[in-house]
Amino acid sequence: MDLNTIEKIQKVIWDSDNVVMVSGSEVFREGGLNGLRAEHIVYDIEQKYGFSGEEIVTSQIYSRQVAMFFEYYKDIILNKEKPDNTTVYDVVAKLEKEGKITNIVTKMVYDFYEDAGCEHIVKLYGSVEENRCPACGKIYNSKYIKQAKGTPKCSECGVILRPGFSLFGEQIDNKRLTHAVDAIEGADVLLVAGISLNSFGWQNMLRYYDKDKLVLINTEEKIGDERANYCLYGSISDIFAKLAKEAEKNKKEESAKKAKKSDSKKSK
Ligand SMILES: [Zn+2]
């Protein structure tokens, strides 16, 4: 990893007070989770279910083969109760608290940013923690889904629950979409992590950013990444940890400088 680039990127991010983070699928995959599509294990999924993840998370399967839908939900989407440690969520939460990151835009359906203490999250697809009874509106979390015997139903009315995320082929909630586009368009720095800039379903949205501080952090280089002004490849978690460390170092140096200055003033 090029350390000079880490330093440069650290400076770009920490010098801004309007960084918008776009968080892609490689971020939660580093924690061992599959996500909705699970396209990285598409072959295994087709073997097991006879469909791809993209075909299963649809209203057709939900309405016609609801047992299979929930089997996929429990075993593939909720494949891990506790993800492996990743520093990304904590570093992002810290950056938000320090007033650097203003919005986090993601299609991730897990609540890791919320759990880390982030507040301004635009979840385009919704959340596995907000499954709803279509009859009474009661909300059920992912644990309830995972632990349900067979198809999860409302404990009050016995009606089959609706997942807390949008199904493929359904419209993404318009309010969330507008919020995401406005944030990306208005960003000073756009920090994209865990997706390539050409990735399907993101490339149109990322085009709303037209300034020259596009930072890309991903596991590997992909075609189309040339558009980024700064790139870092490797473990996303490691890169975020290094960015945070670099920032701490700079902070200490700065406060040491300030202390020195005020000392020399006093001695005059
Ligand atoms: Zn109910």
Side-chain angles (χ1 to χ4, degrees):
M1 205 184 296
D2 182 359
L3 264 178
N4 285 321
T5 317
I6 283 254
E7 281 160 15
K8 259 189 240 160
I9 290 178
Q10 186 272 327
K11 203 168 157 19
V12 168
I13 294 171
W14 265 262
D15 280 354
S16 171
D17 58 3
N18 185 12
V19 180
V20 171
M21 160 105 173
V22 173
S23 181
S25 50
E26 291 303 330
V27 174
F28 59 76
R29 289 230 173 102
E30 280 193 351
L33 282 147
N34 290 326
L36 293 187
R37 264 196 190 90
E39 63 269 36
H40 59 303
I41 47 167
V42 66
Y43 181 77
D44 298 339
I45 288 171
E46 279 180 358
Q47 287 286 309
K48 188 174 173 193
Y49 297 94
F51 295 97
S52 69
E54 191 150 359
E55 289 164 331
I56 296 171
V57 185
T58 55
S59 57
Q60 285 93 320
I61 297 289
Y62 176 76
S63 54
R64 286 178 209 150
Q65 285 173 271
V66 75
M68 181 172 80
F69 177 90
F70 278 106
E71 195 191 324
Y72 179 87
Y73 191 167
K74 289 179 196 179
D75 294 347
I76 305 297
I77 302 172
L78 301 176
N79 62 314
K80 227 172 183 178
E81 212 171 301
K82 285 236 155 69
D84 301 340
N85 249 338
T86 159
T87 53
V88 177
Y89 310 118
D90 290 334
V91 174
V92 170
K94 204 163 166 259
L95 279 167
E96 197 193 48
K97 270 199 194 85
E98 289 182 9
K100 313 291 178 199
I101 288 185
T102 50
N103 278 289
I104 302 141
V105 178
T106 186
K107 288 181 179 170
M108 175 170 85
V109 290
Y110 313 107
D111 281 5
F112 302 134
Y113 286 111
E114 287 87 341
D115 294 345
C118 296
E119 285 174 16
H120 300 97
I121 311 152
V122 187
K123 271 188 135 87
L124 288 165
Y125 277 166
S127 167
V128 291
E129 304 304 334
E130 284 167 27
N131 309 286
R132 178 184 292 269
C133 167
C136 72
K138 192 170 171 188
I139 302 287
Y140 293 89
N141 63 15
S142 60
K143 206 171 164 193
Y144 185 86
I145 301 286
K146 186 85 178 170
Q147 289 175 349
K149 285 203 179 82
T151 302
K153 300 187 176 91
C154 177
S155 61
E156 314 283 321
C157 352
V159 175
I160 294 173
L161 300 181
R162 280 282 305 181
F165 45 82
S166 316
L167 304 172
F168 296 128
E170 285 181 345
Q171 285 273 348
I172 293 181
D173 180 86
N174 215 5
K175 235 163 79 188
R176 287 185 211 151
L177 203 59
T178 311
H179 190 167
V181 166
D182 285 350
I184 289 170
E185 197 172 19
D188 170 31
V189 176
L190 189 67
L191 171 60
V192 179
I195 34 164
S196 72
L197 297 185
N198 260 351
S199 100
F200 178 76
W202 277 112
Q203 52 174 346
N204 288 336
M205 200 180 283
L206 296 179
R207 273 199 206 114
Y208 283 95
Y209 180 79
D210 61 0
K211 298 179 196 98
D212 60 354
K213 290 175 196 160
L214 204 170
V215 178
L216 175 67
I217 297 173
N218 204 4
T219 48
E220 55 180 2
E221 192 171 352
K222 297 265 170 71
I223 295 167
D225 289 356
E226 314 83 66
R227 228 193 97 209
N229 305 99
Y230 307 88
C231 289
L232 276 178
Y233 299 108
S235 150
I236 300 169
S237 196
D238 284 355
I239 293 171
F240 271 80
K242 280 184 185 149
L243 283 171
K245 216 171 148 193
E246 185 66 27
E248 278 308 312
K249 206 177 88 192
N250 286 355
K251 235 195 229 165
K252 269 185 200 148
E253 278 172 10
E254 242 167 59
S255 57
K257 253 188 230 163
K258 265 185 205 157
K260 225 179 166 184
K261 248 187 199 167
S262 66
D263 275 357
S264 65
K265 261 185 201 161
K266 270 181 214 158
S267 64
K268 265 178 199 169

